[in-house]
Every structure is written in C-alpha cells, then in structure tokens.
Amino acid sequence: MRLGSMNFAQRLSYLQSNVFGDMDLAKATSQRGIIDLSLGSSDLPAPPLAMAKLHQALDDPATHGYLLFEGTAPFRTAAAQWVERKFGISVDPQTEVLPLSGSQEGTALMPLALLDPGDYALLLDPGYPSHWGGVHLAGGQIHRLKLQAPDFLPDFSGISPNVLDKAKMLVLSYPHNPTTGIAPLEFFKEAVAFCQKHGLTLIHDFPYADIAFGGYTPPSIFNADPEKSVSLELFTLSKSYHMGGFRIGYAVGNPGLIKALRQVRDVTNFYPYRGILQAAAQALSGPQDYVTESVLLFQERRDACVQALADIGWYVPAPKATMYLWAKLPQHYSGSSMDFCRDLVHKTGVALAPGSGFGMSGEGYVRFALVHPPDVLRKAAVAIGEFWHGSRQQVGG
Ligand SMILES: Cc1ncc(COP(=O)(O)O)c(C=O)c1O
C-alpha cells in the first residue's frame, strides 16, 4: 500500500477505521458538554484492597524491573483458582494460564499463532473490533457469522465446505458485546462439537463473566469442553474489577494453545508490571462482594436507562448481562448508525457507539455503555428525546 512517498504493508489498508477512534474525533469536535456512553470503560473505582497492593509495590524497587514468565506465578495461581471457584473447572497455573495486558491482546495475538496467510477465522458479526483486527494482522480471511435478533447466536450450518477446509479458528464471546446476547450451555456444546469435528480452535472472549443480572450466571466454554480439548478462554479485570486502565487480563486453556500464545506474546512484550499483577491477584482472590455490589449498580443503571428511553418512546430490551444496551435505531431515522451518533453528539453532547463500528450486521443499531449513574443516563435520554423529535421533524416524520 502506497501513501504519499511511503510504502506500507497491505494489511494496514484493513485497519483504517476503528469505532472508538471515529467517535473520539466526533466527541472532540462537538461544542457540547459530553455524556460519553460510547466506550465500555467503567467509571467505578478499582477495589481498594487491590489499590493498596499497588501502592505498596510502587515503593519497592524490586518491582521496578522487567518481569519474565516465572515471576508471574502468584498471579497465575490466583487466576487459576478464580476459574476453579467460579466454574468448577480445574486449571494448572503453570501450563494452562497466561497473563495478558488486557484480554484484547489475546484476541489480537491468537490469530498470529493459529493462521497462515489465507486461512479463515469464523467471527461473529457484529463483534468486538480486535477480533477482526487480529485476523488482518495475521493475513487471514474472515468468514462472518451474522447475528440477528432475538437471540444473536450464529448458525454454523450454512458455512461452505471451501471456507471450512481453510478455517482454523472460531471466536465466540458471550455475554456478547455489542448485542448483549447470551449463550446457553447447549449452544457452547454445539460449538465445541463443531470445532472438534472440523479441527478448529475455539477462542472464547469472556470479559462479562460477572456482569449478569437476576441470578443468571454465564457459562464458561470449559463447562462445555472440560478437557480443554479445543478451547482457550480470555478473561479480564477491566469489567468485574474496573481495572481497564491497568491493562490486565489472562488466557486460560489447552496447554498447547497457551504455549503458542505465549510464543507470540513473548516476541512483543515482557509481562505486566509486578505491582499491577499483585493488585490483580488481590482482586481475584480477595472478597468478591465488591463485584456483587458493582453488578447491582449496573443493573440499576440498565433499568433506569431502559425506562428513561421508553419514556421518550424508544423501546429497548433489558439485557440479562453486560454493561450495554443494544438499541435499534428509530424507524423514522433514514441515516446510518454513524450519521446518527455523529449528529447526536454534535447536537446534544451524548456519545453512543454506532452499530456499524462492530461489523456490517450492526448497522441499524447503536450501543449504549452504562458507564454513568442513573441520573446522568436519564439526562442523556431526555437530550436524545429532544434530538429525536427534532430529527423526526427534519426527516419529515
Ligand atoms: C468482547 C470484548 N473483548 C475484549 C475487550 C477488551 O478488554 P480488555 O480491557 O481486557 O482488553 C472488551 C472491552 O470492552 C470486550 O467487550
């Protein structure tokens, strides 16, 4: 790819746009005070006990150097025990866990370990942007599994033999961002059997393992593949423990897959700062009422936002999990989801994420991230109502 006098790799042409970057620019050019509901970045504080560990570590020069794999053992043990406690699956911290700088790193690097150029990855559409980006980095091809209301689960039956012959990996992620769909264990069993039959690796990106409401517990992929025969699951401290800025997550899975991911990761980086690993280990192994309380807060926000939107005539289903609402654009609105979000942020300061930023099948929807308290969400809904009625007149409806 040639840009001006410089030559760049062809793969860069696939990485031109990014939903968060596009909305960042739209927010920066809005003249209004921004209510930012476009990014799933929690506004809640990280657990105090974890932060105390980090403070202690900062004062200890022994934590300041590079960290290699063996030094991450205490974190890996805490992560393995967390998975064992939550899902009843035994995990070997030495061979089945890899620390990551956020789960996004795992989704972006795993294709480099699995795909040769031209191989296919089966990805959910809509889906999380790093799932696509990682496949492009690896020179792979993407087969889109279109997700549709009401259940937002993919259908494996329509994939052509040509694609299946060259397919090496399937990426799932439930509870699902952005659609908020959830996957029953039966579906995971079907997906594992499909991957076993066709020789695929199953990557399950699982950031919302804890963010579920009304007694619902999302299953782990290992509840469907307890032998870890084909699966690797990605966890993060960004959502349950509000530590997104610290960039800490981990992969758990089949030892061969963990080893392959480690080989790729070790080229790109050392391991995260010891203080962050100590804080994260504390969060994972300390009291979990902190998590329970923040899930209740997200539930309150969900209910407040669904109600406030209904009050302006926008009917959005209340999800069983995640920190999002996935809202169909009003019928009278004739523009794209990006037009809607750009227009909305310029006229009201309310920033949402356009569905198209998560893939073609996201067009016609926008995503609300519930990252503000209920009163702010209500204020945003009122502003949207005013915009909506304004735009209805403009659209002539
Ligand atoms: C599906 C999905 N994967 C990965 C991430 C990124 O998580 P992390 O902060 O662990 O990189 C997110 C964040 O919103 C997400 O929704």
Side-chain angles (χ1 to χ4, degrees), residues 24-95:
D24 212 26
L25 185 63
K27 284 180 275 180
T29 52
S30 171
Q31 306 296 317
R32 311 276 172 167
I34 301 289
I35 298 180
D36 195 353
L37 309 178
S38 67
L39 199 60
S41 181
S42 175
D43 59 321
L44 301 173
L49 290 175
M51 292 303 95
K53 284 278 179 207
L54 180 55
H55 280 286
Q56 267 173 22
L58 285 171
D59 289 334
D60 176 4
T63 67
H64 295 179
Y66 289 130
L67 184 62
L68 298 174
F69 181 76
E70 292 306 329
T72 67
F75 171 79
R76 284 185 276 113
T77 300
Q81 287 172 351
W82 186 91
V83 174
E84 284 180 17
R85 271 198 312 275
K86 194 160 169 78
F87 300 109
I89 301 292
S90 88
V91 175
D92 176 356
Q94 186 62 21
T95 59

Side-chain angles (χ1 to χ4, degrees), residues 290-360:
Y290 178 84
V291 179
T292 318
E293 280 158 26
S294 45
V295 171
L296 285 175
L297 282 183
F298 279 124
Q299 184 171 348
E300 228 178 89
R301 291 169 178 201
R302 174 199 71 171
D303 294 342
C305 199
V306 165
Q307 183 59 55
L309 290 172
D311 290 345
I312 62 160
W314 197 353
Y315 299 99
V316 177
K320 287 208 169 64
T322 77
M323 54 199 283
Y324 307 108
L325 299 184
W326 185 236
K328 215 170 181 13
L329 280 176
Q331 271 190 349
H332 65 265
Y333 190 81
S334 55
S336 69
S337 56
M338 189 67 210
D339 293 338
F340 183 87
C341 290
R342 223 185 263 125
D343 220 17
L344 183 71
V345 76
H346 284 142
K347 294 203 174 118
T348 67
V350 177
L352 305 178
S356 62
F358 300 93
M360 286 188 236

Side-chain angles (χ1 to χ4, degrees), residues 96-343:
E96 296 183 333
V97 182
L98 186 73
L100 295 169
S101 301
S103 57
Q104 179 161 332
E105 182 179 57
T107 63
L109 293 184
M110 207 55 214
L112 287 168
L114 293 172
L115 301 182
D116 284 316
D119 285 345
Y120 270 98
L122 313 181
L123 303 186
L124 304 181
D125 177 11
Y128 192 68
S130 66
H131 300 177
W132 309 71
V135 175
H136 290 312
L137 286 183
Q141 305 194 67
I142 292 167
H143 177 84
R144 297 158 190 278
L145 297 168
K146 286 189 188 167
L147 305 185
Q148 285 176 337
D151 63 1
F152 298 109
L153 293 171
D155 174 7
F156 303 126
S157 66
I159 306 172
S160 79
N162 290 348
V163 170
L164 270 180
D165 273 356
K166 288 169 116 186
K168 296 282 172 58
M169 60 188 279
L170 164 69
V171 182
L172 298 178
S173 185
Y174 290 95
H176 186 242
N177 175 15
T179 67
T180 73
I182 56 173
L185 183 57
E186 281 314 307
F187 168 76
F188 276 177
K189 287 185 179 163
E190 187 197 328
V192 168
F194 171 79
C195 288
Q196 285 168 335
K197 179 169 174 201
H198 295 285
L200 307 185
T201 292
L202 202 171
I203 312 294
H204 186 231
D205 188 13
F206 198 19
Y208 306 100
D210 283 307
I211 318 290
F213 312 120
Y216 170 61
T217 304
S220 156
I221 202 67
F222 301 124
N223 295 131
D225 184 15
E227 305 298 322
K228 308 185 192 77
S229 66
V230 289
S231 310
L232 180 122
E233 196 154 60
L234 295 162
F235 296 91
T236 180
L237 281 91
S238 299
K239 311 297 175 182
S240 310
Y241 303 100
H242 316 294
M243 291 176 66
F246 295 94
R247 311 307 304 127
I248 179 72
Y250 53 100
V252 171
N254 175 295
L257 295 173
I258 291 291
K259 185 174 169 204
L261 180 56
R262 183 178 159 191
Q263 283 174 299
V264 174
R265 192 194 183 282
D266 283 355
V267 173
T268 65
N269 220 336
F270 290 97
Y271 286 89
Y273 170 54
R274 280 181 182 80
I276 291 179
L277 287 177
Q278 288 167 10
Q282 164 63 45
L284 291 170
S285 49
Q288 298 298 299
D289 31 345
Y290 178 84
V291 179
T292 318
E293 280 158 26
S294 45
V295 171
L296 285 175
L297 282 183
F298 279 124
Q299 184 171 348
E300 228 178 89
R301 291 169 178 201
R302 174 199 71 171
D303 294 342
C305 199
V306 165
Q307 183 59 55
L309 290 172
D311 290 345
I312 62 160
W314 197 353
Y315 299 99
V316 177
K320 287 208 169 64
T322 77
M323 54 199 283
Y324 307 108
L325 299 184
W326 185 236
K328 215 170 181 13
L329 280 176
Q331 271 190 349
H332 65 265
Y333 190 81
S334 55
S336 69
S337 56
M338 189 67 210
D339 293 338
F340 183 87
C341 290
R342 223 185 263 125
D343 220 17

